[in-house]
Amino acid sequence: MDYFQFYNISESFLLDEKVLKNTYYKLSREYHPDFHANEPEEKQQEILQLSTQNTNAYRTLSDADLRMQYILKQHGLLEEGGKNELPGDFLMEMMEINEELMELEFDFDADKFHEISEKTIGLTAQLDNDILPVLQRYPELHGITKEEALAEVKTYYLKKKYLLRIQETLSKFATRS
């Protein structure tokens, strides 16, 4: 059973955190192994599995990035070694940033570092801003299909992962600036 079904909530990229947490605590009490210690071994194993599923579901659904990754995987859009292509213009822009980062590696320049940092922050903010309407309306979409929305979210997710790797590289330079 998928995590959304397990929690009896609709699949969504944006969840009500309070509802999610309350459901987690309710199921934690219901499936706590100590409350089923006198049950037959088979029932105890079932409760243990449900308790584990509750913990895994909460960990995944309470983290926006993990939730997005989970939804995309549930729809078969993020397979390991699968088609995770990014638009060419985005890749060209990232290649330019990576080249600038390599230059910083050999010849650090604090002003250039700050310029790249600001550019990366701006790109991330624009990316978040552009996808927000799709995330807010999902799965009740108007004007685009669920598949088109999921494709947009997948592209967003992959771009964001790429930008996070650049930000990690930038953080290594932070001590120099």
Side-chain angles (χ1 to χ4, degrees), residues 21-37:
K21 190 176 281 191
N22 288 341
T23 303
Y24 168 71
Y25 286 134
K26 175 184 164 275
L27 293 177
S28 291
R29 287 186 296 276
E30 185 177 331
Y31 299 133
H32 197 285
D34 290 350
F35 297 135
H36 300 276

Side-chain angles (χ1 to χ4, degrees), residues 68-70 72-73 75-80 82 84 154 157-158:
M68 184 175 288
Q69 181 183 39
Y70 178 76
L72 292 171
K73 282 184 176 179
H75 290 278
L77 295 172
L78 282 184
E79 306 103 32
E80 294 301 316
N84 293 328
K154 176 185 176 182
Y157 175 81
L158 295 171

